[in-house]
């Protein structure tokens, strides 16, 4: 069966520090991969998605970036965190080009930037 | 662009009460519609979905019917339980223009069920 791992579960970082969140998927190949952010009172916002290795689409301009070095690995990064980067970050995957898209989510990372 | 508008929360109910969470959408094509649920401290998981007009999605006693004429996908449950306390997200996936890779979510509705 397929599983998705996301870590760390919680993270407290000072403003201006770098960020690296990692997500891996097991039990499937060539998934679509996604990073979402859930900010307080603002719902769920798509940040990046990837349909293949090295293929990254950005939905919202910001100081975050994403990379997909391997088929089932998706990394969210920042060189310098801002206060506004605080939020709950969710990694997700879906079957490539499935009709009626269904996402499978990781357990999330609660990021607090202080 | 695509958008989802759902009922603002929080919603607080007593156990065994009837639940409705409203959701309406705007899409350029023929979207699939979803309800996701997020239990405390967890990621989101799919609750139910409908892929075409008049379809009814159902799971765990929850139901939602895809109404194209009113562009709605309201979530209902006849008798809620304390364990249903969670945040509920309405979402759509629009297959027009090759954009079927991603979901557009509503802001979420927090449901609290008291015993």
């Amino acid at each position: 069966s397929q599983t998705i791992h996301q870590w760390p579960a919680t993270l407290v970082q000072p403003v201006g520090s770098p960020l690296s969140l990692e997500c891996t998927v097991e039990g499937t190949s060539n998934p679509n991969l996604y990073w979402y952010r859930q900010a307080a009172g603002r719902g769920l916002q798509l940040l990046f998605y990837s349909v293949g290795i090295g293929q990254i689409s950005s939905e919202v301009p910001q100081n975050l970036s994403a990379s997909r070095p391997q088929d089932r690995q998706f990394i969210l990064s920042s060189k310098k965190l801002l206060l506004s980067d605080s939020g709950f970050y969710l990694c997700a995957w879906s079957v490539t080009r499935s009709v009626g898209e269904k996402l499978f989510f990781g357990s999330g990372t609660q990021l607090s930037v202080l | 662009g695509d958008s989802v508008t759902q009922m603002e929360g929080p919603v607080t109910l007593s156990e065994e009460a009837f639940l409705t969470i409203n959701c309406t959408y705007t899409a350029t094509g023929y979207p699939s519609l979803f309800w996701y649920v997020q239990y405390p401290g967890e990621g989101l998981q799919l609750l139910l979905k409908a892929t075409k007009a008049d379809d009814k999605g159902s799971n765990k006693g929850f139901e939602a019917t895809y109404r194209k004429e009113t562009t709605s996908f309201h979530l209902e449950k006849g008798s809620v339980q304390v364990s249903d306390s969670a945040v509920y997200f309405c979402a759509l996936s629009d297959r027009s223009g090759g954009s079927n890779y991603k979901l557009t979510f509503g802001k979420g509705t927090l449901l609290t069920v008291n015993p």
Side-chain angles (χ1 to χ4, degrees):
Chain A
S1 64
Q2 302 92 350
T3 55
I4 179 168
H5 301 282
Q6 185 181 342
W7 68 91
T10 59
L11 190 60
V12 180
Q13 292 283 95
V15 169
S17 64
L19 173 73
S20 180
L21 301 181
E22 189 163 343
C23 172
T24 59
V25 180
E26 296 178 358
T28 187
S29 59
N30 197 29
N32 292 330
L33 295 172
Y34 309 80
W35 279 110
Y36 281 87
R37 177 171 60 200
Q38 185 179 12
R42 298 184 61 184
L44 208 61
Q45 179 185 41
L46 178 63
L47 302 176
F48 301 95
Y49 70 94
S50 171
V51 300
I53 295 174
Q55 301 178 62
I56 310 294
S57 295
S58 175
E59 290 294 300
V60 182
Q62 59 215 318
N63 69 318
L64 299 172
S65 62
S67 61
R68 184 170 178 173
Q70 301 179 43
D71 180 46
R72 289 170 290 178
Q73 184 184 29
F74 205 26
I75 298 171
L76 182 69
S77 304
S78 174
K79 292 182 179 179
K80 289 185 178 181
L81 284 169
L82 306 173
L83 287 174
S84 57
D85 292 324
S86 294
F88 190 57
Y89 289 81
L90 287 159
C91 181
W93 72 274
S94 68
V95 176
T96 307
R97 291 184 170 82
S98 66
V99 175
E101 193 79 352
K102 173 182 175 180
L103 293 184
F104 298 89
F105 285 85
S107 54
T109 296
Q110 183 64 54
L111 172 65
S112 299
V113 182
L114 305 177
Chain B
D2 298 340
S3 67
V4 175
T5 303
Q6 66 180 98
M7 178 176 166
E8 297 257 348
V11 174
T12 302
L13 296 173
S14 298
E15 208 164 20
E16 300 184 0
F18 183 84
L19 169 71
T20 299
I21 300 178
N22 290 338
C23 172
T24 58
Y25 67 89
T26 302
T28 53
Y30 304 94
S32 297
L33 302 173
F34 306 81
W35 276 101
Y36 279 80
V37 58
Q38 184 181 24
Y39 297 105
E42 299 182 13
L44 278 74
Q45 56 186 276
L46 180 67
L47 179 60
L48 54 85
K49 72 174 186 180
T51 57
K52 62 182 187 296
D54 299 325
D55 269 3
K56 177 185 283 187
S58 61
N59 185 26
K60 299 181 180 179
F62 291 89
E63 293 183 339
T65 301
Y66 188 143
R67 301 288 187 199
K68 188 176 179 182
E69 63 275 14
T70 55
T71 61
S72 65
F73 193 55
H74 305 322
L75 182 68
E76 296 182 336
K77 186 173 185 181
S79 176
V80 294
Q81 305 300 313
V82 173
S83 57
D84 294 326
S85 298
V87 181
Y88 292 82
F89 291 89
C90 187
L92 71 83
S93 173
D94 191 348
R95 285 167 277 169
S96 67
S99 63
N100 62 327
Y101 299 123
K102 47 187 177 165
L103 292 178
T104 300
F105 284 86
K107 291 188 176 181
T109 302
L110 173 63
L111 170 66
T112 301
V113 180
N114 295 318

